[in-house]
Amino acid sequence: MKAVVRDESDAGGSPPRESLLSRAVRILEAFDAGHPSLPVAAIARRADIPVPTTYRLVGDLVDLGLLERGSDRRVRVGVRMWELASRSSEAVSLRDVAIPFMDDLHAAVRQHTQLAVLEGAEVLYLERKSARGAEAANITRTASRLPWHACSSGLALVAHTSVTAQEMLLSARLEQLTSLTVTDPAELRRQLAETRYRGYAAVHGSVHEQAAGVAVPIQGPDDQVVAALSVIVPNEEGRVAPVVPALLTTARGIRRALAAGHVPADRPV
Amino acid sequence: MKAVVRDESDAGGSPPRESLLSRAVRILEAFDAGHPSLPVAAIARRADIPVPTTYRLVGDLVDLGLLERGSDRRVRVGVRMWELASRSSEAVSLRDVAIPFMDDLHAAVRQHTQLAVLEGAEVLYLERKSARGAEAANITRTASRLPWHACSSGLALVAHTSVTAQEMLLSARLEQLTSLTVTDPAELRRQLAETRYRGYAAVHGSVHEQAAGVAVPIQGPDDQVVAALSVIVPNEEGRVAPVVPALLTTARGIRRALAAGHVPADRPV
C-alpha cells in the first residue's frame, strides 16, 4: 500500500481545502451582535458543521488568535481578528477619513448619520453616529446590513453602478420590510434615475414606517462612488430638503480628504 | 491500491490542516498600514509561502471575501474581514463604549488620547483620538502595537496582571527604543508597584524623547482590568499631574457604562 503524502502544494482546488477555509469563515459568521459569545456546540449548530470538526477548528482558530476562549469556556471573536481587519482594509481607511466629517454633520443636523458601502445586494454600514436627541427611529448598527432597495444608502449606491448591475439587482426577489417598502422594479428604476438626476436619494418608511432616509454618494479619488453618507429623519413632510445641502457639503469634504490621501485630525481644536 | 479518502472529520490535528489555516493568517498578516495592497508575489515573499500556494490561497480568500482584488490586480484586505471582526468582538464593544468618553476627554485635555489592551508582551491600540492642536508627538496609530515596557498603557495593564505574568514579561528581552527607555527589570518592577499604588502610570520619553504618556487602567464589570486609557503630553516638568484626574474620571465613566452593558449615545446633544 502506497503511503499517502498530504502535500498541500499538490492539492490545488480540491474540495477538502476549500471547505476547510469556508468552514472556518462559517464558524466566524456564527457570531453576531446578538451572539457575541457561544459554546462550541452552539457554534456547530449555527455553522452547520459536525461537532467534532467544530471542536478542532475552533481549537485551531483559538491558537491563531482569531477566536478567544473565555473563562466560562464560551468562545468569542478574538482581538487579533479586529487587528488584522483594521490595519489595512480600505473600509477602515474610508471610515477613518469620514468620521471627523460625520461628527461635524452630526453636530449640525442632530440626527442619526451613517456611512455605508454596497456589498452585493446589501448595504453594509461602516459607521453610525447616533444621538440621544435624535427624533427618528433607526434600527441600523455599525457592521449591520440592509437590503439595497429598502434604504436611501442603497439607492444612492446602486444609482451609480452599471445598468447591467442594476438590472441584475432589480430582477432578484425584493423583500417587503414594511407596508411602505417599494418592491416594484419599475418604480425602483424610476427612483434610481431620479437619484442620479438630483444627486441624492430619499426613502420614506421602507425600513421603519416612522423614519425617512436621505443619502448622497461619496466619490473616491478616481471619481468612482465608494460609499454613501446618509441621515435618518422623521418620516414627515418637509424633513428631507433641509438636510440635503449639509449631506452634499460633507460628502464633498470626505471626497477631498480621500483625494488628499490622508486622515485629517479628528476635530478642529 | 486503496483509494485515498480525504475525510476532514478524520484529519484531527494533522499538520496540513493546521498549516493551511495558519498560512491563511500569515497571508492576512502580510498587509499593514504601510502595505494596504500588494501583488500576489509580494504577499508570497512577505508571508514566506511558495508563490503557487499563495496564488491558490489568495484565490480562496478572495472567493470568501476576506481579501479583495483591485482593478490593478493588487490584493487588499476585504470589507468582509472588517465585518466579521466588528459584529461581535469584545475589543469592538469596548471601543464602542469608550469612544464617546474619549471624545469628552479629548475635548477637555486637547492632547492625543488612546485606548489599549494587552496582547502578550505588547500593547495593542484599539483607538486613538488625535488633534491638530496637540503639542506632543505620538507615533501610535489605531491597531498598532508597542512593547509593554515602553509605554504608559503597558505599565498600567501589566501592573494589574499576576506576579507570575509580570516576572515572565520582565525576564524577556526588553527593547531600547530611545535613550530614555527603561529596560532594567528592577526599575520596571519598582514602576509597576508605583503604578498600582498611585493608580496611574507615567512614562517619560520611552517611545519618543519629547513625549510622555500617562495611563490609567479601565476595569470591566467583574473588576478585572480590561484596557488602559492614556494621554500623550509633552515630556516637560509638571505636564503629567494635570491630566490624571481627567483620566481617572473618564476611566470610571467607561467602567460604569461597561457595567451597564450598553453603548451610550455618541455625544450629548
Side-chain angles (χ1 to χ4, degrees):
Chain A
M1 197 179 114
K2 219 174 149 189
V4 177
V5 181
R6 297 177 73 106
D7 178 7
E8 263 187 287
S9 65
D10 207 45
S14 67
R17 196 192 69 238
E18 285 179 327
S19 90
L20 171 71
L21 272 184
S22 68
R23 281 177 165 190
V25 170
R26 282 224 302 287
I27 285 177
L28 292 168
E29 286 172 341
F31 301 88
D32 59 30
H35 304 84
S37 75
L38 291 165
V40 176
I43 298 173
R45 199 168 50 245
R46 289 171 63 87
D48 193 21
I49 300 175
V51 173
T53 312
T54 306
Y55 263 98
R56 277 202 314 276
L57 274 173
V58 165
D60 292 348
L61 291 168
V62 167
D63 289 345
L64 291 167
L66 301 189
L67 292 179
E68 287 168 1
R69 228 187 288 264
S71 49
D72 52 359
R73 307 294 296 161
R74 290 172 77 94
V75 176
R76 49 169 66 241
V77 175
V79 66
R80 183 94 188 103
M81 189 69 196
W82 173 84
E83 184 183 11
L84 287 173
S86 299
R87 289 195 307 177
S88 63
S89 103
E90 199 158 19
V92 175
S93 318
L94 172 62
R95 205 167 157 268
D96 285 351
V97 169
I99 283 176
F101 292 94
M102 290 179 71
D103 281 340
D104 294 344
L105 174 64
H106 185 260
V109 303
R110 301 197 173 196
Q111 303 288 359
H112 306 296
T113 60
Q114 307 172 131
L115 179 72
V117 293
L118 192 63
E119 278 274 293
E122 291 176 316
V123 164
L124 171 65
Y125 291 91
L126 297 185
E127 179 65 46
R128 174 187 179 241
K129 298 270 164 197
S130 139
R132 278 179 213 133
E135 299 164 83
N138 183 351
I139 64 161
T140 67
R141 298 172 43 113
T142 293
S144 71
R145 291 174 177 243
L146 279 178
W148 75 272
H149 66 285
C151 59
S152 59
S153 301
L155 282 185
L157 289 163
V158 171
H160 294 272
T161 59
S162 68
V163 173
T164 319
Q166 289 178 18
E167 288 304 321
M168 214 164 72
L169 290 170
L170 288 166
S171 64
R173 203 183 82 76
L174 301 166
E175 198 188 346
Q176 185 90 35
L177 299 184
T178 73
S179 66
L180 298 175
T181 312
V182 176
T183 58
D184 173 32
E187 170 58 16
L188 285 168
R189 212 173 275 121
R190 195 198 62 73
Q191 291 191 1
L192 288 172
E194 189 179 50
T195 297
R196 281 179 91 107
Y197 172 73
R198 66 187 182 186
Y200 70 90
V203 166
H204 301 269
S206 276
V207 177
H208 187 292
E209 298 198 357
Q210 271 76 57
V214 197
V216 298
I218 298 172
Q219 289 175 296
D222 56 359
D223 294 345
Q224 288 278 71
V225 170
V226 293
L229 182 71
S230 59
V231 167
I232 308 300
V233 295
N235 191 9
E236 297 160 2
E237 194 72 41
R239 299 303 293 259
V240 167
V243 300
V244 171
L247 273 169
L248 289 170
T249 313
T250 310
R252 291 180 70 93
I254 296 171
R255 179 194 188 170
R256 201 162 7 86
L258 286 171
H262 76 105
V263 180
D266 284 10
R267 62 192 62 251
V269 287
Chain B
M1 199 179 110
K2 217 175 150 186
V4 178
V5 181
R6 297 178 74 108
D7 179 6
E8 264 187 287
S9 67
D10 206 46
S14 67
R17 199 194 66 238
E18 287 178 326
S19 91
L20 171 71
L21 272 185
S22 69
R23 280 176 166 191
V25 171
R26 283 224 301 288
I27 285 177
L28 292 167
E29 286 173 340
F31 302 88
D32 59 30
H35 303 85
S37 76
L38 291 165
V40 175
I43 298 173
R45 200 167 51 244
R46 289 171 62 88
D48 192 21
I49 300 175
V51 173
T53 311
T54 305
Y55 262 98
R56 277 202 315 275
L57 274 174
V58 165
D60 291 348
L61 291 167
V62 167
D63 289 345
L64 292 167
L66 301 188
L67 293 179
E68 287 169 1
R69 227 186 287 267
S71 50
D72 52 359
R73 305 296 295 161
R74 291 172 76 96
V75 177
R76 50 171 63 240
V77 175
V79 68
R80 184 93 188 105
M81 189 69 196
W82 173 85
E83 184 183 13
L84 288 174
S86 299
R87 287 194 308 175
S88 64
S89 105
E90 197 159 20
V92 175
S93 318
L94 171 63
R95 207 167 155 266
D96 285 350
V97 170
I99 283 175
F101 292 94
M102 290 178 71
D103 281 340
D104 295 342
L105 175 64
H106 185 261
V109 303
R110 301 199 172 195
Q111 303 288 357
H112 307 295
T113 60
Q114 306 172 131
L115 179 73
V117 293
L118 193 62
E119 277 276 292
E122 291 177 316
V123 163
L124 172 64
Y125 290 92
L126 296 185
E127 180 63 49
R128 174 188 179 241
K129 297 271 163 195
S130 138
R132 278 182 212 130
E135 299 165 84
N138 183 351
I139 64 162
T140 66
R141 296 172 45 110
T142 293
S144 71
R145 291 175 177 241
L146 278 178
W148 75 272
H149 67 285
C151 59
S152 59
S153 300
L155 282 185
L157 290 163
V158 171
H160 295 272
T161 60
S162 68
V163 173
T164 319
Q166 289 179 17
E167 288 305 319
M168 213 166 71
L169 290 170
L170 287 165
S171 65
R173 204 182 82 76
L174 301 166
E175 200 187 345
Q176 185 90 38
L177 298 183
T178 73
S179 65
L180 298 175
T181 313
V182 176
T183 58
D184 173 31
E187 170 58 17
L188 285 168
R189 213 174 273 121
R190 194 195 64 70
Q191 291 191 3
L192 288 173
E194 191 180 51
T195 296
R196 280 178 94 106
Y197 173 71
R198 67 186 183 188
Y200 70 90
V203 165
H204 300 270
S206 275
V207 176
H208 188 291
E209 299 198 356
Q210 271 76 58
V214 197
V216 299
I218 297 172
Q219 289 175 297
D222 56 359
D223 294 345
Q224 288 277 69
V225 170
V226 294
L229 183 71
S230 59
V231 166
I232 307 300
V233 295
N235 190 9
E236 296 160 4
E237 195 72 42
R239 298 304 293 261
V240 167
V243 300
V244 172
L247 273 169
L248 289 170
T249 314
T250 309
R252 290 179 71 92
I254 296 171
R255 179 193 188 171
R256 202 163 7 86
L258 286 172
H262 76 107
V263 180
D266 285 11
R267 66 191 60 250
V269 286

